[in-house]
């Protein structure tokens, strides 16, 4: 998932003093659709994305063809502005859009404010019956749901591999956890703090916490007791110690992915340099490697199954991109009609393929057309049932605190149990 930082409500309210509510930014990208003066016009807000926006326009065109009495206007904003504009409009309950395409984790902050319209019960029952567990978790609040999913945001189960380097070393891709670690140990090389090759670079903002949580879950452990964090347990300590040793003792990577001032992520180094052998990451990175970095899949890199640490194929996942309707919208019926049209399993499959997403819909995920279009998703489609909702909390806060905890243990040699006790206290105080 693309990394972004949640803004606190105070920031959003402050931003409302600086930016108007509901008016598109001067540099926003608006579609031509929906400007013909139809009886009912609704607006969709999203962020600018060269792959997503054309797919949204096609969805709008198909919807308008099937519903000639409703027009949809898409307004898309630069990614860095999108979250603050969304918060400003929803918290002020003035202006904004009728329908928002938004990150699922944001719904946790909005649901309790009454900013979103609850999903109609009959429609939600259909969504729930065809959805994987993690994709709706953040949309729920006190027995109601305030958004519907478009994707399964999966950040564990796939491994980017440096294909030319594997061929040069004359080795095969790993099939077990021990195999993966042994390959990483044998082929990592560094000169002091300068790395020539990181065998397995799991040290990143998203990759570190998701790797650790999967190690815990696949081992039969857990990290929460009810609604309280409990990382300081035998499985939590043992798995964190493993990750620390991979860096401090085995030196299969270093802390650059968390401390590098350039903000370059490990997967980006694999695409742009020869310093990475294997990097765990979500499947959306494949599209970036091909379309942004101009690499050839199969020649320059590949995406293979990442082995599980424990005997169970379990991993944590957060709720990804979805759709929600503004509670202040005066066109609720038309807005929900558009959302339901979009999330139909056949239509959303085309959208997922166009956007390089793993479908939230079980029906769409197991449609043969998905792997025909994106064969590299095969290792992930087979494990989707093992995805567990990460928990009802701000995931950016978890990632920030896991990052600080890991750096503290590696750099200061803080005992793992002591560091995890502090992590539990910090997270439970949030």
């Amino acid at each position: 998932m693309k990394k972004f930082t949640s803004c606190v409500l105070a920031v959003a309210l402050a931003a409302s003093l600086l930016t108007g509510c509901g008016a598109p930014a001067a540099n926003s990208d608006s579609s031509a659709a929906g400007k013909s003066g139809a009886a009912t016009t609704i607006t969709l807000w999203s962020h600018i994305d060269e792959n997503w926006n054309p797919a949204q326009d096609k969805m709008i065109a198909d919807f308008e063809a099937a519903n000639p009495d409703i027009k949809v206007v898409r307004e898309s904003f630069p990614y860095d502005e999108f979250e603050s504009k969304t918060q400003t409009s929803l918290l002020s309950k003035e202006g904004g859009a009728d329908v928002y395409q938004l990150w699922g984790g944001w719904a946790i902050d909005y649901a309790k404010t009454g900013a979103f319209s609850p999903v109609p019960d009959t429609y939600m029952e259909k969504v729930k019956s065809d959805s994987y567990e993690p994709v709706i978790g953040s949309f729920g609040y006190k027995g109601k749901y305030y958004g519907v999913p478009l994707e399964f945001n999966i950040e564990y189960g796939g491994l980017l591999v440096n294909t030319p380097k594997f061929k040069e070393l004359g080795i095969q891709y790993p099939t077990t956890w021990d195999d993966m670690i042994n390959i990483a140990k044998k082929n990592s090389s560094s000169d002091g703090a300068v790395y020539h090759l990181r065998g397995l670079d799991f040290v990143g903002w998203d990759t570190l916490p998701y790797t650790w949580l999967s190690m815990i879950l696949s081992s039969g452990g857990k990290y929460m007791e009810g609604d309280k964090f409990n990382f300081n347990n035998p499985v939590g300590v043992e798995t964190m110690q493993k990750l620390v040793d991979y860096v401090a003792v085995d030196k299969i990577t270093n802390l650059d992915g968390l401390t590098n001032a350039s903000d370059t992520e490990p997967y980006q180094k694999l695409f742009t340099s020869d310093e990475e052998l294997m990097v765990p990451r979500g499947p959306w990175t494949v599209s970036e490697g091909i379309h942004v970095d101009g690499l050839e899949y199969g020649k320059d890199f590949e995406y293979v199954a990442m082995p599980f640490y424990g005997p169970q194929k379990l991993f944590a996942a957060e709720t990804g991109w979805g759709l929600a309707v503004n509670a202040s919208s005066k066109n609720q019926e038309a807005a929900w009609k558009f959302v339901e049209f979009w999330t139909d399993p056949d239509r959303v499959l085309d959208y997922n393929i166009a956007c390089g997403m793993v479908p939230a819909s079980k029906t769409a995920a197991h449609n043969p057309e998905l792997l025909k279009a994106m064969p590299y998703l095969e290792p992930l489609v087979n494990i989707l049932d093992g995805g567990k909702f990460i928990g009802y909390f701000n995931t950016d806060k978890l990632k920030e605190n896991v990052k600080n905890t890991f750096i503290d243990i590696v750099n200061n040699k803080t005992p793992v149990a002591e560091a995890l006790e502090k992590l539990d206290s910090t997270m439970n105080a949030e």
Side-chain angles (χ1 to χ4, degrees):
M1 185 51 231
K2 295 175 181 176
K3 184 176 75 174
F4 51 104
T5 305
S6 293
C7 299
V8 295
L9 300 185
V11 173
L13 292 172
S16 70
L17 300 176
L18 303 174
T19 59
C21 297
N27 55 348
S28 66
D29 169 29
S30 297
S31 73
K35 295 183 176 178
S36 59
T40 301
T41 298
I42 60 174
T43 53
L44 164 70
W45 273 17
S46 65
H47 69 277
I48 292 175
D49 185 288
E50 62 181 16
N51 292 322
W52 293 17
N53 297 150
Q56 291 160 359
D57 287 342
K58 182 179 185 309
M59 188 66 69
I60 290 171
D62 290 346
F63 175 74
E64 290 179 337
N67 300 273
D69 58 331
I70 304 173
K71 297 298 180 185
V72 183
V73 175
R74 173 178 65 80
E75 297 173 353
S76 299
F77 306 92
Y79 189 82
D80 290 343
E81 301 174 13
F82 179 58
E83 183 179 7
S84 61
K85 289 188 71 68
T86 297
Q87 288 179 322
T88 299
S89 67
L90 290 172
L91 294 176
S92 68
K93 294 183 171 57
E94 294 180 359
D98 296 286
V99 179
Y100 292 82
Q101 181 175 30
L102 83 165
W103 180 246
W106 301 351
I108 292 176
D109 292 330
Y110 295 135
K112 57 191 174 188
T113 70
F116 285 140
S117 171
V119 183
D121 291 342
T122 303
Y123 171 38
M124 194 63 216
E125 286 305 311
K126 287 190 340 187
V127 172
K128 286 170 65 177
S129 68
D130 192 38
S131 294
Y132 294 97
E133 178 187 316
V135 304
I136 57 174
S138 292
F139 290 125
Y141 180 69
K142 291 189 174 180
K144 291 286 186 181
Y145 288 85
Y146 294 87
V148 293
L150 287 173
E151 67 153 349
F152 191 129
N153 178 60
I154 181 169
E155 287 292 346
Y156 190 89
L159 194 62
L160 292 163
V161 291
N162 185 331
T163 302
K165 186 62 73 176
F166 266 86
K167 290 182 178 177
E168 177 186 321
L169 295 170
I171 53 179
Q172 302 296 312
Y173 299 145
T175 56
T176 68
W177 183 275
D178 288 344
D179 190 19
M180 178 177 71
I181 298 302
N182 287 335
I183 289 173
K185 288 180 181 177
K186 185 176 180 180
N187 295 289
S188 296
S189 62
S190 61
D191 182 9
V194 179
Y195 265 73
H196 306 299
L197 184 65
R198 296 174 184 82
L200 177 68
D201 201 350
F202 64 88
V203 180
W205 170 263
D206 287 300
T207 310
L208 173 62
Y210 280 114
T211 301
W212 184 32
L213 296 185
S214 177
M215 291 171 74
I216 293 172
L217 295 175
S218 67
S219 300
K222 53 186 179 180
Y223 54 90
M224 299 200 75
E225 298 286 349
D227 61 352
K228 297 295 184 183
F229 290 91
N230 180 24
F231 287 108
N232 189 21
N233 62 65
V235 178
V237 171
E238 183 254 331
T239 50
M240 175 56 81
Q241 186 66 62
K242 282 282 186 184
L243 293 174
V244 170
D245 288 348
Y246 292 153
V247 174
V249 179
D250 303 317
K251 301 187 185 305
I252 64 175
T253 186
N254 59 8
L255 296 177
D256 280 1
L258 296 177
T259 61
N260 191 340
S262 69
D263 205 28
T264 302
E265 292 201 43
Y267 81 90
Q268 293 170 319
K269 293 177 185 173
L270 186 144
F271 289 155
T272 58
S273 73
D274 212 22
E275 298 176 2
E276 312 282 334
L277 184 61
M278 299 178 283
V279 178
R281 208 60 172 99
W284 56 272
T285 54
V286 174
S287 178
E288 183 170 323
I290 296 171
H291 298 294
V292 177
D293 295 296
L295 302 180
E296 182 178 342
Y297 185 83
K299 175 175 175 288
D300 299 315
F301 76 100
E302 289 184 89
Y303 194 70
V304 302
M306 181 170 178
F308 283 84
Y309 177 77
Q312 304 180 59
K313 293 184 177 180
L314 301 177
F315 60 96
E318 57 187 300
T319 303
W321 289 98
L323 298 170
V325 170
N326 190 339
S328 300
S329 169
K330 299 187 184 308
N331 300 306
Q332 297 271 329
E333 183 177 349
W336 280 118
K337 195 170 187 177
F338 176 53
V339 170
E340 190 162 0
F341 180 91
W342 190 334
T343 56
D344 175 87
D346 289 334
R347 296 191 190 94
V348 81
L349 173 63
D350 292 339
Y351 181 78
N352 291 141
I353 290 173
C355 298
M357 293 174 166
V358 176
S361 159
K362 294 180 180 179
T363 300
H366 290 281
N367 188 318
E369 293 300 315
L370 178 69
L371 294 185
K372 185 177 177 181
M374 296 188 287
Y376 57 84
L377 289 184
E378 185 171 6
L380 303 184
V381 170
N382 295 331
I383 63 170
L384 294 180
D385 284 326
K388 303 299 177 187
F389 178 48
I390 191 169
Y392 201 78
F393 52 81
N394 186 317
T395 54
D396 279 346
K397 291 177 181 176
L398 174 67
K399 294 169 188 176
E400 179 69 20
N401 285 309
V402 169
K403 165 192 157 184
N404 293 336
T405 297
F406 194 73
I407 292 173
D408 176 44
I409 298 171
V410 173
N411 281 348
N412 302 322
K413 296 182 172 52
T414 301
V416 171
E418 178 183 328
L420 297 190
E421 183 69 28
K422 181 180 178 183
L423 174 62
D424 286 336
S425 297
T426 302
M427 288 303 302
N428 287 327
E430 294 282 356

